[in-house]
Amino acid sequence: MLALAADSGQDYQAPIQIVRDPPKGLKTFDEMLSGQSLRRLEPHQHLFHQGDSDRNIYRIESGLVRLYRILSDGRRQIISLRFAGDILGFETALECHCSAEAVTHVTLRSLDQNSAYRRLRDEPALARQMLSLLSQELENARSQIAVLNRRSAIEKLAAFILELHRRQGESGTVDIPLSRTDIADFLGLTIETVSRNLTKLRARRIIELPQIQRLVIVDLDCLEALAGGECEDW
Amino acid sequence: MLALAADSGQDYQAPIQIVRDPPKGLKTFDEMLSGQSLRRLEPHQHLFHQGDSDRNIYRIESGLVRLYRILSDGRRQIISLRFAGDILGFETALECHCSAEAVTHVTLRSLDQNSAYRRLRDEPALARQMLSLLSQELENARSQIAVLNRRSAIEKLAAFILELHRRQGESGTVDIPLSRTDIADFLGLTIETVSRNLTKLRARRIIELPQIQRLVIVDLDCLEALAGGECEDW
DNA sequence: CGAACCATTGACCATGATCAATGATTGTGG
DNA sequence: CCACAATCATTGATCATGGTCAATGGTTCG
């Protein structure tokens, strides 16, 4: 993550630092968003559509949102999954280049883009947070390129499971709030391949599947080796 | 592209606009870079390595640079290709998450990151340009995800050729400053598949290959249909 | 209970990876 | 300048992975 240090009041501009929690005492998206009212979305409701000129910044308070594009041949590509705590919408240009849709029940707060951007001039912390969020997003997207490209189905699945695991606090149990179709569209596979490889992971005692949308990691090391592409004989 | 309008001197903060050329009269990366001396790199020389804490922003004046990662199993994934006019390094965090290497002879100018970032506070145009560059990069990365994932080799190749074409002024002739290995590592294919599909495109009179690193587009419409995934019977 | 939807499993096939051989191009030293 | 090596590209043969088509099983909801 890229962010500029902002020890308010100091003149010295420190080199870039990891700033998970934005600096106190300055306006940030978080503070501006926290003042907004909570909205609820049903599954399949959209935050915005590809081609819209949506003028809002959103923070997801709970639930899961998918960003996707419809390709010219009609196929759907899920670009990114956004979890509770994630901010989105800050990167949209004049026109949204993808659609955002609630996967589960979602609660979120939103903020008018212009009112936020108008403060960029006076609130250096806002610009820094925005840069930080964007470079984090860029890093995510590039990681996804590396994972998705040139990897077998089982490696993609392993990486996907680990990502969900990481986002859910690494408890060993992973909720899968997505359908197999969603997973397939995210990983660039078919539902059959997703299903077959989940079965394969279960058969090899790497995971358990107590419920259809719940997964228990049995052999974390092996899963990580798979995701890293270090398993030769698979 | 996301960028904030900045008609300097006006108080009104206009809604977001496409700003290809940054506003005049304010410091931008471009102006700051133009004052820097020209450096030359031989092919295979690195700008920075994965894991480095490189503290520079670069603008490529001529030549081609590849950003890549080495995966844990030793495979190389080319994340992005950067052409003349492109700026890079502004997105690096404490630690570079990929390596940057000259593919061809490269000339570039570089700028110390800290000296640039120190001015973010006083130069709103700089922050805007940086946001603009980052969101452009993010858009590029997401497009690449859509292209690379769930596409046949020939679709990937068609998209790749069109991207080169677009970056080179759409003259109908495309220079391919990369080896087949580079193309393969970028598209997540093997060199054999790249070679075979180039041959296939040539056999179907969609392209000509007068030289190994030069390509002429014969049937642009067909190439675009392929890249868009609209050809059923291929 | 039945319908609709989703997930799993199987059979078959197409695409692309792998292994291997041959050409083409470039660069080096005699 | 040529011979040779080294590197890169092309082409072929074979095989494995994943896509497609189809049938079955499970879950949810009216």
Side-chain angles (χ1 to χ4, degrees):
Chain A
M1 183 197 280
L2 179 155
L4 296 175
D7 302 292
S8 74
Q10 291 197 354
D11 208 3
Y12 169 65
Q13 184 90 24
I16 295 167
Q17 291 181 1
I18 306 287
V19 178
R20 277 232 166 256
D21 301 309
K24 311 286 180 195
L26 291 166
K27 278 290 176 202
T28 62
F29 287 139
D30 294 282
E31 290 170 61
M32 295 171 77
L33 277 158
S34 293
Q36 306 298 314
S37 62
L38 208 60
R39 278 177 54 200
R40 289 168 202 285
L41 295 180
E42 301 295 307
H44 301 296
Q45 268 191 287
H46 275 77
L47 284 72
F48 50 81
H49 288 86
Q50 202 165 357
D52 277 2
S53 57
D54 189 57
R55 304 254 61 82
N56 292 293
I57 294 168
Y58 304 90
R59 185 175 62 203
I60 303 169
E61 304 294 334
S62 71
L64 180 65
V65 170
R66 62 182 160 225
L67 296 186
Y68 69 90
R69 284 188 204 181
I70 299 299
L71 307 179
S72 50
D73 64 344
R75 290 179 295 196
R76 182 183 67 161
Q77 173 66 53
I78 294 183
I79 300 285
S80 176
L81 295 174
R82 317 310 307 274
F83 300 87
D86 286 347
I87 293 179
L88 64 147
F90 56 86
E91 80 278 32
T92 52
L94 266 181
E95 197 177 285
C96 304
H97 51 257
C98 47
S99 303
E101 181 187 6
V103 179
T104 61
H105 284 270
V106 166
T107 55
L108 51 78
R109 296 178 202 275
S110 65
L111 181 65
D112 179 60
Q113 260 186 5
N114 285 332
S115 73
Y117 292 157
R118 213 169 280 129
R119 307 174 85 147
L120 279 177
R121 175 173 301 184
D122 308 313
E123 301 280 3
L126 253 191
R128 285 186 201 108
Q129 193 195 8
M130 189 151 166
L131 291 175
S132 167
L133 287 168
L134 268 169
S135 59
Q136 181 66 45
E137 275 312 294
L138 182 59
E139 167 57 16
N140 287 348
R142 287 180 170 178
S143 290
Q144 211 193 330
I145 288 171
V147 169
L148 296 186
N149 213 18
R150 190 210 282 275
R151 287 191 118 56
S152 68
I154 209 160
E155 287 171 313
K156 291 182 185 182
L157 251 182
F160 174 72
I161 292 166
L162 287 173
E163 175 65 12
L164 283 186
H165 188 230
R166 201 180 59 74
R167 290 298 308 241
Q168 292 176 17
E170 314 209 325
S171 66
T173 302
V174 181
D175 273 315
I176 309 174
L178 299 146
S179 70
R180 302 291 188 260
T181 304
D182 285 327
I183 301 175
D185 284 348
F186 186 57
L187 297 180
L189 301 168
T190 59
I191 53 170
E192 292 96 332
T193 302
V194 169
S195 185
R196 266 185 257 272
N197 283 283
L198 281 175
T199 303
K200 203 183 279 184
L201 287 173
R202 195 182 47 188
R204 310 222 186 191
R205 310 258 165 213
I206 296 167
I207 62 167
E208 283 169 17
L209 285 169
Q211 297 165 41
I212 217 161
Q213 301 225 322
R214 175 154 302 194
L215 181 151
V216 177
I217 297 177
V218 178
D219 189 342
L220 187 60
D221 291 343
C222 190
L223 208 56
E224 281 170 348
L226 271 175
E230 292 155 26
C231 291
E232 295 285 319
D233 50 334
W234 280 62
Chain B
M1 182 197 280
L2 180 154
L4 296 175
D7 302 292
S8 74
Q10 293 197 352
D11 208 4
Y12 168 65
Q13 186 90 21
I16 294 165
Q17 292 182 0
I18 305 287
V19 179
R20 276 232 166 258
D21 302 309
K24 310 287 179 195
L26 291 166
K27 279 291 178 201
T28 62
F29 286 140
D30 294 281
E31 290 169 60
M32 295 170 78
L33 277 158
S34 293
Q36 306 297 315
S37 61
L38 210 59
R39 278 177 53 200
R40 286 166 205 285
L41 295 180
E42 300 294 308
H44 301 295
Q45 269 192 285
H46 275 77
L47 283 73
F48 50 82
H49 288 86
Q50 202 167 356
D52 277 2
S53 56
D54 188 57
R55 305 253 61 82
N56 292 293
I57 293 168
Y58 304 90
R59 183 176 61 203
I60 304 169
E61 305 293 336
S62 69
L64 181 65
V65 169
R66 61 182 160 226
L67 297 187
Y68 69 90
R69 285 187 202 180
I70 299 299
L71 307 178
S72 51
D73 64 343
R75 290 179 295 194
R76 181 183 66 159
Q77 173 66 53
I78 295 183
I79 299 285
S80 175
L81 296 173
R82 317 310 308 272
F83 300 86
D86 285 348
I87 293 177
L88 63 146
F90 55 86
E91 79 277 32
T92 52
L94 265 181
E95 199 177 283
C96 304
H97 52 256
C98 49
S99 302
E101 182 187 7
V103 178
T104 62
H105 286 271
V106 166
T107 56
L108 53 77
R109 297 177 201 275
S110 66
L111 180 65
D112 178 60
Q113 260 185 5
N114 284 334
S115 74
Y117 292 155
R118 213 169 281 127
R119 306 176 85 148
L120 279 178
R121 174 171 302 186
D122 308 313
E123 302 278 2
L126 254 190
R128 287 186 199 109
Q129 192 194 11
M130 192 155 164
L131 292 175
S132 167
L133 287 168
L134 269 168
S135 59
Q136 182 66 45
E137 275 312 296
L138 182 59
E139 167 57 18
N140 286 347
R142 289 180 169 180
S143 290
Q144 211 192 331
I145 289 171
V147 169
L148 296 185
N149 211 16
R150 186 209 285 275
R151 287 192 119 51
S152 69
I154 210 158
E155 288 172 313
K156 290 184 184 182
L157 252 182
F160 175 71
I161 291 167
L162 286 173
E163 175 66 11
L164 283 186
H165 188 229
R166 201 180 59 74
R167 292 298 310 238
Q168 292 176 17
E170 315 211 321
S171 66
T173 302
V174 181
D175 273 316
I176 308 173
L178 299 144
S179 71
R180 300 292 188 261
T181 304
D182 284 326
I183 300 174
D185 283 349
F186 186 56
L187 297 181
L189 300 168
T190 60
I191 52 169
E192 294 94 331
T193 302
V194 169
S195 187
R196 266 185 257 272
N197 283 283
L198 282 175
T199 304
K200 202 183 281 187
L201 287 174
R202 195 180 47 186
R204 311 225 186 188
R205 310 261 163 209
I206 295 166
I207 63 166
E208 283 170 18
L209 285 168
Q211 298 166 44
I212 218 161
Q213 301 227 322
R214 175 153 303 192
L215 180 151
V216 177
I217 297 178
V218 178
D219 190 342
L220 186 60
D221 291 343
C222 188
L223 208 56
E224 280 170 349
L226 271 173
E230 294 154 26
C231 289
E232 294 286 315
D233 50 332
W234 281 63

